[in-house]
Amino acid sequence: MIIMVQERILESLGGREITPSDSSYAGWPALLSTSDRAKPEFFEQVRDLHPDGYIVGIGAGGIFSLLKCFPVGVLPQGLVMVDINPHVVVAGRIMEQALIEAADVDVFIRNFFRVPQSMYQNQVEQIVSVDPKLKDGLTRWSLRTWMGVPSSPSEEWDKEQDEFSKLLSRFFIKDYSDHLSVPLIVTEHFLELQQLAREKRMAVVYANFIDPVFVDAVVRLPNFLSLTNIIYLTNMLDLTFGDGRLGDAGLELVIKPLRRYEESVSPPIFIFAPSSNLQRFAAVRSVNEVLSYSGFRYP
Ligand SMILES: C[S@@+](CC[C@H](N)C(=O)[O-])C[C@H]1O[C@@H](n2cnc3c(N)ncnc32)[C@H](O)[C@@H]1O
């Protein structure tokens, strides 16, 4: 079943500007790694809520773990990744291409996670050569973004392989059992991700997650409103509102677009990683619950 998810969303977005267009709001890039955490039983609990729709959420990192919210072998209708950091979007699209082209998971690992730096730069050029907005975004995204942006996917792969850095993180992260290794998760779910990519049910969108036009494009995807979808916010709310600088008006800016997802027949499953939960995943069924769980008072 071909859905053309990316094409449909990009068509709706047209030449729309990305706001904000710099890194001050963004936080650590959700690029093939995540600081979000979850125990295996979390995914079992969400499976019991019987999601059967799309996974829509931020970045190309923790979002891949949400495939575990579907019974083995059952695919979401589509996987929509969105980010305001152009580096994250470029890496996500290179991964999508590598999934489509790979004969098997070993070839995928070799051509994506173990790609030499120089080849990765060529792939970046290819991706932005067909997307002027993304190209412009890369030039405008201040140097500061380079912090946390891996030079290539192999950097994240090596980090997950290297015993010392595992030892190190075990030292800092008391309970390592809920660590989410994105390279490991992606290779574990290679066949599902490959099918989603080949059937055009995967989208990597350069946009603001709370842009009403982006949200409108998503809820108009085939059957979206008649399915139980997963909406992934990672710790975006803490990041955007943690310091209260945006106040109630800002909160309204976020609530309105997020409420559109509640128009579906069965309530969506909002998954987020609030600092109030030590960035462990939490799952609730309404925007109000997301806000109260995150300790935000709303008008
Ligand atoms: C929200 S945090 C996610 C990082 C999270 N802790 C993780 O480890 O997966 C930062 C990521 O979200 C992206 N981001 C932040 N605000 C966003 C927004 N309004 N729309 C889309 N992406 C956003 C940033 O560019 C960055 O990739």
Side-chain angles (χ1 to χ4, degrees):
M1 163 180 67
I2 303 286
I3 298 184
M4 312 299 278
V5 173
Q6 180 142 312
E7 289 70 10
R8 287 168 185 265
I9 296 176
L10 293 188
E11 203 180 292
S12 311
L13 283 172
R16 215 171 151 70
E17 272 312 303
I18 309 285
T19 52
S21 57
D22 67 6
S23 63
S24 54
Y25 286 77
W28 197 266
L31 208 169
L32 303 172
S33 71
T34 183
S35 52
D36 298 352
R37 302 190 281 144
K39 288 192 180 309
E41 43 280 13
F42 169 83
F43 300 107
E44 282 159 29
Q45 285 150 17
V46 178
R47 275 200 296 278
D48 295 343
L49 302 174
H50 308 299
D52 60 359
Y54 294 80
I55 297 175
V56 180
I58 288 184
I63 195 167
F64 298 116
S65 68
L66 303 181
L67 289 166
K68 298 175 184 299
C69 298
F70 291 77
V72 176
V74 176
L75 265 62
Q77 289 289 318
L79 173 61
V80 179
M81 295 171 262
V82 57
D83 207 293
I84 49 173
N85 181 333
H87 299 280
V88 173
V89 177
V90 168
R93 293 200 184 152
I94 292 174
M95 185 179 126
E96 184 185 9
Q97 203 48 40
L99 285 165
I100 290 168
E101 292 163 3
D104 59 36
V105 66
D106 297 326
V107 174
F108 169 72
I109 290 171
R110 194 172 58 242
N111 294 348
F112 180 65
F113 276 120
R114 318 237 46 195
V115 72
Q117 165 72 15
S118 53
M119 260 179 77
Y120 185 68
Q121 281 317 316
N122 297 344
Q123 293 168 335
V124 171
E125 300 310 320
Q126 269 167 27
I127 292 287
V128 295
S129 66
V130 293
D131 188 329
K133 206 166 69 179
L134 200 50
K135 187 169 186 167
D136 173 49
L138 274 186
T139 52
R140 270 193 294 125
W141 196 269
S142 64
L143 264 183
R144 226 156 19 89
T145 62
W146 290 105
M147 241 186 355
V149 174
S151 56
S152 73
S154 60
E155 207 176 296
E156 288 306 329
W157 178 264
D158 297 344
K159 234 191 275 171
E160 288 295 333
Q161 315 306 315
D162 150 26
E163 287 313 314
F164 178 66
S165 63
K166 274 200 248 177
L167 210 61
L168 207 59
S169 33
R170 274 208 177 84
F171 180 78
F172 288 106
I173 302 175
K174 293 287 164 280
D175 178 356
Y176 200 71
S177 64
D178 55 9
H179 168 66
L180 295 173
S181 159
V182 175
L184 189 63
I185 290 166
V186 166
T187 45
E188 265 173 6
H189 294 272
F190 168 75
L191 290 174
E192 292 126 292
L193 288 165
Q194 183 171 60
Q195 186 176 347
L196 289 169
R198 286 183 172 173
E199 296 183 359
K200 298 247 173 241
R201 293 158 63 185
M202 186 183 279
V204 191
V205 184
Y206 181 38
N208 188 329
F209 178 70
I210 51 170
D211 177 345
V213 176
F214 166 75
V215 176
D216 183 62
V218 171
V219 296
R220 285 190 292 111
L221 288 170
N223 312 318
F224 188 93
L225 291 175
S226 59
L227 297 165
T228 304
N229 305 297
I230 291 181
I231 311 299
Y232 173 56
L233 295 94
T234 173
N235 63 343
M236 193 269 268
L237 278 182
D238 289 342
L239 213 65
T240 313
F241 293 101
D243 60 6
R245 79 185 122 99
L246 285 176
D248 289 348
L251 212 45
E252 195 56 28
L253 265 177
V254 170
I255 295 173
K256 233 148 140 271
L258 286 182
R259 286 215 193 290
R260 293 281 327 268
Y261 293 122
E262 295 179 324
E263 293 166 9
S264 52
V265 177
S266 109
I269 303 167
F270 291 97
I271 294 183
F272 58 118
S275 42
S276 58
N277 196 34
L278 303 177
Q279 259 198 277
R280 281 204 184 89
F281 279 166
V284 294
R285 306 305 296 269
S286 72
V287 175
N288 292 355
E289 287 172 284
V290 172
L291 294 167
S292 49
Y293 197 117
S294 310
F296 289 118
R297 195 179 46 71
Y298 53 92

